[in-house]
Amino acid sequence: MSRILIVDDEPSIRITLSAFLKSEGYDVHSVPDALKALEFLKEHPVDILVTDIIMPGMTGIELIDKLRKFQKEVRVIIMTGEPTVETAVTAVQNGASDYLAKPIRKEDFLRVVRNTAQTKALMDEKKDLEERNIEYQRNLEYMVASRTHALHKAMESIITLLSQVVEFRDPYTAGHQRRVGNLAASIAEKLNLSNEQTELIRIIGYIHDIGKITIPSEILSKPGKLSRAEFELLKGHSYSGYEMLSRVDLPPLIAEAIYQHHERFDGSGYPRALANSQIMVEAHILMVADVVEAMMSHRPYRPSLGRDVALLEIKEKSGRLYRPDVVNACLDLFKNGYEIDDEAHEVMIPV
Ligand SMILES: [Fe+2]
């Protein structure tokens, strides 16, 4: 039930109005002046304040003004013995929700209090709902964020696993995919591709040779040159990688870029002899990163060919085997001190 404070300097009014309200079940308190009212209200919040206007010390209007500074939601009913339009306007301007002229009839008083109490209850309910809604939104945001994080972590471990699977079978290229992924991401960054695209390119690099798990390990670990037949078999890894990744729920361009990573700018690559704009930018970047990293790496059958030889290779074949802007971005990177990066960076898959 609503809690009400009555403020009036006339004891008979306080007693009568309190009795009316108590008989209706309200929780009623009364005080003789505005100062006592403020003291009471600081300790005991109420739903409704019923106050006289003209009282010794402080008027009812001043009381409302002071009260609003620490209790904004209290509904106020003003009573006065001088019912003029001006008094009513001032009362409403000061935040009174209703107005009663003295002498006050019991029925009018109870009707006004009842209406005010209902309005207050509705306002409280609205406020409560708003607060609960804010709390719910906050929880929801937290839940979505933590689920998304968990999903990212799961995806990340799948990428790491896929990357390691090939390296178990093909130890000579251990770390190759990681280094290619990092270099490809740096080239993408240099080409001002979006962060999302750059991170996808890193992922593509980390798993671009996944199709090699379908290639016999004697071929993968064979030192020296492969026979023509063996090389034909090895070439199948682009398509195998594409096929494997097409079946999982990852952005489709990952599979497609892997399918294209041995194509060449002039159409001399494999498996589909795509050229120029038929090849997606992700694959153009990957093929440059792939060849540079491979030439700079030590292999059991040859030492590293070195940075300069690798960079000369892409420079000489720029516009023929490799897309010129990608080659330039890669050359620029190394000119500015880029070092081959063997670290496994965290990857973010858009989910
Ligand atoms: Fe490959």
Side-chain angles (χ1 to χ4, degrees):
M1 195 41 117
S2 304
R3 194 179 167 97
I4 303 175
L5 179 67
I6 297 172
V7 193
D8 201 302
D9 51 331
E10 276 184 52
S12 61
I13 291 189
R14 291 203 305 275
I15 292 164
T16 318
L17 296 185
S18 295
F20 289 166
L21 293 177
K22 272 182 189 154
S23 69
E24 291 287 313
Y26 291 103
D27 178 7
V28 194
H29 298 265
S30 68
V31 288
D33 59 57
L35 281 174
K36 287 215 166 50
L38 282 174
E39 266 171 40
F40 180 89
L41 290 166
K42 274 178 188 157
E43 300 290 320
H44 316 277
V46 297
D47 297 302
I48 302 171
L49 171 73
V50 181
T51 181
D52 193 10
I53 292 189
I54 299 163
M55 293 180 288
M58 188 190 289
T59 67
I61 303 291
E62 286 172 282
L63 169 62
I64 303 173
D65 198 37
K66 288 197 160 40
L67 172 66
R68 288 286 176 233
K69 295 195 168 71
F70 61 93
Q71 274 188 39
K72 293 199 169 17
E73 278 93 25
V74 186
R75 307 291 290 172
V76 178
I77 300 168
I78 286 280
M79 307 179 288
T80 182
E82 300 166 39
T84 63
V85 175
E86 288 77 27
T87 336
V89 169
T90 317
V92 171
Q93 276 174 346
N94 281 277
S97 41
D98 222 323
Y99 183 88
L100 284 163
K102 287 181 183 175
I104 296 167
R105 285 168 47 216
K106 182 180 179 182
E107 312 78 70
D108 292 342
F109 182 61
L110 288 177
R111 180 178 42 80
V112 167
V113 169
R114 211 173 290 131
N115 288 346
T116 309
Q118 271 170 2
T119 312
K120 175 69 168 57
L122 283 172
M123 282 169 64
D124 286 350
E125 204 175 312
K126 179 172 167 270
K127 194 176 161 219
D128 187 48
L129 275 173
E130 282 167 356
E131 278 169 5
R132 283 194 347 229
N133 194 26
I134 290 170
E135 185 63 26
Y136 175 75
Q137 291 289 344
R138 221 178 272 141
N139 282 342
L140 203 63
E141 278 164 25
Y142 173 76
M143 264 169 56
V144 170
S146 70
R147 293 270 164 89
T148 310
H149 180 72
L151 205 54
H152 278 309
K153 281 283 156 203
M155 290 279 203
E156 193 182 337
S157 54
I158 290 169
I159 296 294
T160 310
L161 183 70
L162 286 177
S163 161
Q164 285 169 347
V165 164
V166 195
E167 294 180 0
F168 279 136
R169 280 181 60 95
D170 183 13
Y172 297 152
T173 59
H176 162 72
Q177 298 188 103
R178 207 161 53 234
R179 294 188 292 269
V180 168
N182 294 338
L183 175 56
S186 295
I187 296 174
E189 221 175 359
K190 193 88 194 160
L191 287 168
N192 288 324
L193 300 190
S194 69
N195 278 349
E196 196 173 284
Q197 212 173 356
T198 301
E199 286 316 303
L200 265 178
I201 288 173
R202 191 189 304 281
I203 292 166
I204 295 164
Y206 282 7
I207 55 176
H208 72 275
D209 276 335
I210 181 72
K212 282 189 177 171
I213 61 171
T214 62
I215 310 297
S217 45
E218 312 85 73
I219 295 181
L220 294 178
S221 53
K222 184 178 173 182
K225 233 176 152 29
L226 297 178
S227 72
R228 200 185 159 76
E230 287 167 336
F231 187 58
E232 282 307 313
L233 212 55
L234 180 68
K235 278 161 73 176
H237 79 277
S238 300
Y239 179 70
S240 310
Y242 164 76
E243 210 195 25
M244 267 183 252
L245 288 167
S246 305
R247 290 195 216 127
V248 295
D249 197 10
L250 284 173
L253 71 79
I254 295 183
E256 184 57 35
I258 287 173
Y259 198 4
Q260 298 183 7
H261 82 278
H262 283 288
E263 300 291 355
R264 291 295 179 250
F265 188 65
D266 60 359
S268 63
Y270 64 85
R272 289 175 289 174
L274 302 177
N276 202 340
S277 60
Q278 292 175 307
I279 303 169
M280 60 207 286
V281 65
E282 290 81 357
H284 276 299
I285 293 174
L286 199 65
M287 65 182 85
V288 168
D290 194 13
V291 72
V292 168
E293 200 288 329
M295 290 180 79
M296 285 175 71
S297 285
H298 293 279
R299 290 292 151 90
Y301 50 90
R302 62 149 173 81
S304 157
L305 300 170
R307 195 190 88 142
D308 295 345
V309 176
L311 297 184
L312 190 64
E313 165 73 14
I314 55 165
K315 197 174 175 181
E316 281 182 355
K317 310 268 169 68
S318 175
R320 192 149 65 80
L321 300 189
Y322 311 112
R323 209 171 97 170
D325 59 335
V326 177
V327 170
N328 289 340
C330 183
L331 294 174
D332 255 18
L333 270 182
F334 281 95
K335 205 191 289 169
N336 292 321
Y338 182 85
E339 300 269 354
I340 289 292
D341 178 2
D342 202 13
E343 205 182 307
H345 290 248
E346 267 190 27
V347 290
M348 275 299 241
I349 298 170
V351 285

